[in-house]
Amino acid sequence: MEQKQIILTGDRPTGKLHVGHYVGSLKERVKLQNSGKFDEIYIMIADAQALTDNAEHPEKVRQNIIQVALDYLACGLDPDKSTIFIQSMVPELTELTFYYMNLVTVSRVQRNPTVKAEIKMRNFEASIPVGFFCYPISQAADITAFRATTVPVGEDQMPMIEQCKEIVHKFNSVYGETLTDPKIVLPDNEACLRLPGIDGKAKMSKSLGNCIYLSDEAKDIKTKVMSMYTDPNHIRVEDPGQVDGNPVFIYLDAFCKPEYFEEFLPDYNNLDELKDHYKRGGLGDVKVKKFLNNVMQAELEPIRERRKSWEKRLPDVYDILRKGSEIAEKKAAETLSDVRKAMQIDYFDNGTL
Ligand code: TRP
């Protein structure tokens, strides 16, 4: 039998999703969803993972579940094609995590670069919550519970998928072939891998206040784009400008489609021509930003409108999550049963001990 093609991915509900999430992962998911190449697609709102560093703020996690669900639907994730569910509503994931913990050493988790960076960012060095420390293991449970073959995520999640693969190999070698080895899918456009904040800082993040949100109104997007950090040495229009590492051009690389030139900036045929002019000098930041604003508005308007129409149907969104969580639990329970059998802890399944 051909192996089923299955997607699992997700996000922590700690805030609304922004354009970094969109180009880094959401856009790819929608593309894969609509490719018709996948038998099953699971999109998880990772509330349990969000609680690993928000244990004292459960209300924050709870409120953001619906926000993330709205962002998903706004981007074009389709509940008829993708099962959207809430992590903690699938308790099988916790049990799998507990078994996988025995296959991973403390030092291996300590070496995970994403965990390392996050511990530093949160000033957790002296007091890491054990649950937070173990979240890469729980993430391996998320992926394997659904027998995911494909995990479309942002670049920062790469170490998680590597760690998941190690757990799969270890489990299968100890207990026999049981779990499916997943493959990571990153966006192929480099600008999409790590979209900087509007302030030019390496990462878009809510705490830095440098995000453009999928739910932002047109006027807010404009204000943000017009205030974007550019090349600090490009002071007068005549000055030659730097394109590499310049957020305005990184955003254009991520969002601009060829047809936008004809529509909004017909003096240029394509992005290369625009970049060349900027590098030569004689092209002002305001002109580039106005163009970027038009591009961002064109890309984000349909998403915002779709979000607004789902906002009027919150009971339907609730139903999508409830039904999705039921479907997800069934699937995870099947895998858990295989895992218990492989581990010889399926005591009451065949009437003998
Ligand atoms: N760690 C992801 C994030 O920070 C969320 C997540 C949890 C996830 N489990 C996953 C992503 C499994 C992909 C696969 O957003």
Side-chain angles (χ1 to χ4, degrees):
M1 199 176 73
E2 278 263 321
Q3 189 181 38
K4 272 195 183 172
Q5 295 301 307
I6 300 176
I7 288 179
L8 175 113
T9 185
D11 301 274
R12 294 182 200 170
T14 49
K16 293 179 176 185
L17 300 181
H18 51 63
V19 294
H21 293 115
Y22 180 63
V23 293
S25 173
L26 289 166
K27 205 171 164 182
E28 187 72 31
R29 287 182 210 173
V30 174
K31 201 167 94 192
L32 295 175
Q33 168 194 270
N34 296 334
S35 72
K37 290 192 184 135
F38 291 88
D39 302 292
E40 296 169 27
I41 302 173
Y42 299 94
I43 310 289
M44 181 181 76
I45 303 180
D47 66 327
Q49 189 176 106
L51 284 167
T52 65
D53 64 331
N54 284 291
E56 278 145 46
H57 303 285
E59 73 291 343
K60 172 174 153 193
V61 174
R62 186 183 173 102
Q63 282 158 13
N64 280 305
I65 286 181
I66 199 80
Q67 298 302 330
V68 170
L70 286 168
D71 285 328
Y72 283 168
L73 295 163
C75 287
L77 287 174
D78 174 353
D80 290 331
K81 297 180 185 156
S82 298
T83 300
I84 304 175
F85 71 97
I86 302 176
Q87 186 180 28
S88 68
M89 294 292 98
V90 183
E92 286 78 0
L93 298 173
T94 328
E95 187 172 338
L96 283 175
T97 305
F98 196 63
Y99 301 142
Y100 295 172
M101 280 177 171
N102 304 329
L103 306 175
V104 183
T105 63
V106 170
S107 66
R108 174 61 184 91
V109 181
Q110 270 166 340
R111 277 200 313 275
N112 182 312
T114 302
V115 176
K116 249 188 185 166
E118 287 179 330
I119 286 173
K120 220 169 153 193
M121 208 169 77
R122 290 168 174 70
N123 291 321
F124 271 169
E125 276 103 337
S127 55
I128 312 168
V130 175
F132 179 81
F133 187 71
C134 295
Y135 93 74
I137 306 173
S138 109
Q139 200 156 328
D142 302 335
I143 295 168
T144 53
F146 296 91
R147 304 199 168 286
T149 51
T150 304
V151 187
V153 280
E155 195 186 26
D156 62 319
Q157 296 296 306
M158 215 141 75
M160 302 298 159
I161 315 301
E162 274 160 24
Q163 187 141 28
C164 174
K165 290 169 81 71
E166 281 175 35
I167 291 173
V168 168
H169 298 160
K170 178 88 182 182
F171 189 102
N172 288 348
S173 78
V174 175
Y175 302 116
E177 266 324 294
T178 310
L179 302 176
T180 307
D181 199 10
K183 190 172 82 238
I184 184 168
V185 175
L186 297 173
D188 43 21
N189 176 344
E190 204 173 320
C192 295
L193 285 179
R194 205 162 262 248
L195 201 70
I198 55 170
D199 57 357
K201 296 242 168 65
K203 213 180 157 172
M204 214 173 256
S205 109
K206 195 177 51 194
S207 49
L208 295 174
N210 61 1
C211 306
I212 297 177
Y213 293 98
L214 294 173
S215 48
D216 275 352
E217 292 295 341
K219 65 174 188 342
D220 300 322
I221 297 170
K222 181 161 185 201
T223 309
K224 290 181 184 180
V225 170
M226 296 313 286
S227 74
M228 260 172 95
Y229 182 85
T230 64
D231 172 4
N233 299 316
H234 186 245
I235 296 164
R236 287 165 307 170
V237 174
E238 316 83 79
D239 292 339
Q242 179 100 25
V243 166
D244 293 336
N246 183 334
V248 175
F249 283 95
I250 299 176
Y251 277 51
L252 283 173
D253 277 328
F255 289 96
C256 191
K257 293 186 193 133
E259 60 266 30
Y260 288 143
F261 279 94
E262 205 185 320
E263 201 176 341
F264 303 125
L265 199 62
D267 297 353
Y268 303 84
N269 287 310
N270 54 46
L271 198 48
D272 285 338
E273 276 185 27
L274 188 74
K275 286 182 181 172
D276 283 343
H277 193 179
Y278 193 83
K279 286 193 257 187
R280 268 198 320 274
L283 173 57
D285 281 329
V286 171
K287 187 164 177 181
V288 187
K289 285 181 175 176
K290 279 190 174 153
F291 176 54
L292 175 62
N293 175 54
N294 283 325
V295 169
M296 300 295 287
Q297 300 290 354
E299 291 281 306
L300 297 178
E301 191 195 63
I303 296 177
R304 184 175 56 243
E305 293 311 310
R306 225 175 300 146
R307 198 180 198 280
K308 284 195 175 143
S309 71
W310 279 107
E311 278 169 9
K312 294 191 195 115
R313 300 173 50 192
L314 289 183
D316 292 335
V317 180
Y318 180 92
D319 261 2
I320 288 168
L321 295 177
R322 193 174 44 77
K323 285 192 191 121
S325 300
E326 279 168 19
I327 295 171
E329 186 177 13
K330 235 183 229 154
K331 176 82 178 184
E334 283 168 27
T335 307
L336 179 60
S337 153
D338 293 345
V339 161
R340 287 172 146 273
K341 194 164 170 197
M343 293 178 69
Q344 305 174 41
I345 55 173
D346 55 338
Y347 304 116
F348 299 126
D349 283 353
N350 53 19
T352 62
L353 270 180

